[in-house]
Amino acid sequence: LSFQVMLRCLVSRCLLTNPVAGSLAGSQSSLAGKVAIVTASTDGIGLAAAQALGQRGAHVVVSSRRQSNVDKAVALLQREKIQVTGTTCNVGNSEDRARLVNMTVEQCGGVDIFVSNAAVNPFFGNIMDSTEAVWDKILDVNVKSAFLMTQLVVPHLEKRGGGSVVFVSSVAGYQPMQALGPYSVSKTALLGLTRALAPELAQSHIRVNCVAPGIIKTTFSQALWQDEDVVDELKKQLSIKRFGKPEEIGGVIAFLCSKDASYITGETITVTGGMSCRL
C-alpha cells in the first residue's frame, strides 16, 4: 500500500474509534455558509462569540459604538482567517439598528444567526437610589433594543428557512447581585423574552435561546474582579474556583447556533462555574 492510502486508513480508523475527534473536525465547518450578526462584539463575550462562530465557518458581522474598536476587532478576526464585516452601531438608536441589518443583508446576502449581546450598566449602588434615567437607559438598551433588533432580523431569518437567536443574559438574572439591582432586573427580563419568543418563532423554524454567564473576566465586569475582597467572596460561591473566560461563553453560544442544538429552544444555559442560581 502507498503511504497516502495507509494514512487515509489510519485517519478513518481513528475517527471510527474516536467519534469525538470526528465531531471536532466537523465542528470547524459546522456553520459554513451562515451569516451571524453579533452586537457589542469588539471585546469580551461579544468578540468571543464572533470568534467561535467564525471559527466554525460563519461570516460574522461585528459592531460597537466606536469605529476604532470595530477596526481592531475586524483586524483581529481577519488575522484568524475569519470572514468578517464590521460597522459602528449603537443598538439604542433605531437608525443604527436598521442600518446594521440592512448592511448585513446587502453585503452578506442574508442573516441566519443573531446574537444579542449589547448591554449597559450606568448604576452601581442601592436599588432604591436608582433614578428614572437609570432605568430608562438600562431597559432601553438591555431589553427593548434586544427585542427590536430581533424584530428586524426575523424576516431575514425566515427568508433563509429559519435560523437562531441567542440572548446574552447573566447569572444576575436568576440571583440579583448586590449593587446591580436595575441591571439584574433587565437580565431577568431576557429570560422571559426568550420563553415568550420561542414558541411563536418556532413556527418559522427559528430557535430562540439564552446564555446566562457567571462572573466572566471582561472589561465590562472589572468592578467585580478587581477588588480582592469581592473576589474572595464570589469565589466561595463557585465550584470551579476561578472566574470564566469569554471564550467559554462564546463556545456555548456557537453550540446553540449549530445543528447540535437543533432540538433546543426557549432554554437558558447557565455558564457559571457551578454558582448555585437555580434548581
Side-chain angles (χ1 to χ4, degrees), residues 8-275:
R8 281 200 295 270
C9 289
L10 284 170
V11 171
S12 297
R13 189 179 302 167
C14 173
L15 295 181
L16 284 170
T17 57
N18 186 1
V20 172
S23 65
L24 285 174
S27 71
Q28 299 308 306
S29 60
S30 60
L31 296 174
K34 304 295 185 184
V35 176
I37 294 175
V38 186
T39 59
S41 44
T42 60
D43 190 24
I45 289 172
L47 178 58
Q51 287 174 305
L53 293 165
Q55 287 160 2
R56 288 158 179 78
H59 184 131
V60 293
V61 179
V62 298
S63 65
S64 74
R65 287 176 292 179
R66 295 183 182 177
Q67 185 65 53
S68 60
N69 292 340
V70 173
D71 293 341
K72 286 179 187 175
V74 168
L76 172 66
L77 294 169
Q78 286 177 337
R79 286 196 298 271
E80 296 178 0
K81 309 301 182 187
I82 288 170
Q83 298 178 77
V84 58
T85 301
T87 185
T88 54
C89 179
N90 174 0
V91 297
N93 181 294
S94 61
E95 292 180 0
D96 276 17
R97 291 193 298 267
R99 185 170 52 81
L100 173 61
V101 175
N102 291 337
M103 184 213 72
T104 301
V105 173
E106 289 168 7
Q107 294 194 18
C108 306
V111 188
D112 303 278
I113 294 164
F114 170 53
V115 179
S116 179
N117 177 61
V120 296
N121 180 44
F123 178 80
F124 194 83
N126 294 325
I127 191 170
M128 290 303 293
D129 294 329
S130 58
T131 64
E132 183 176 1
V134 163
W135 282 95
D136 285 345
K137 180 72 172 178
I138 288 176
L139 294 178
D140 274 356
V141 174
N142 299 9
V143 183
K144 192 169 78 173
S145 294
F147 169 72
L148 293 173
M149 271 296 300
T150 303
Q151 199 173 42
L152 285 174
V153 165
V154 161
H156 298 288
L157 269 60
E158 289 175 331
K159 288 177 183 176
R160 307 275 268 204
S164 183
V165 174
V166 178
F167 296 113
V168 179
S169 177
S170 167
V171 65
Y174 287 102
Q175 182 58 54
M177 291 187 173
Q178 190 175 2
L180 294 175
Y183 173 82
S184 299
V185 170
S186 75
K187 291 302 185 176
T188 304
L190 291 179
L191 307 180
L193 182 59
T194 301
R195 297 302 292 268
L197 286 171
E200 191 168 320
L201 295 184
Q203 301 168 43
S204 299
H205 308 291
I206 297 169
R207 296 181 299 104
V208 184
N209 290 293
C210 187
V211 176
I215 310 301
I216 309 300
K217 210 163 182 182
T218 65
T219 304
F220 188 81
S221 66
Q222 63 186 3
L224 296 175
W225 53 262
Q226 283 188 332
D227 186 314
E228 289 187 14
D229 292 334
V230 174
V231 167
D232 290 340
E233 284 303 310
L234 287 171
K235 283 187 176 178
K236 290 176 184 177
Q237 303 176 44
L238 304 177
S239 299
I240 300 173
K241 300 298 182 181
R242 64 171 175 82
F243 294 152
K245 303 170 187 175
E247 57 265 32
E248 292 174 310
I249 308 302
V252 174
I253 291 170
F255 159 71
L256 286 172
C257 297
S258 73
K259 287 183 179 178
D260 290 337
S262 58
Y263 200 51
I264 301 175
T265 196
E267 294 295 336
T268 297
I269 297 181
T270 56
V271 190
T272 67
M275 183 183 287

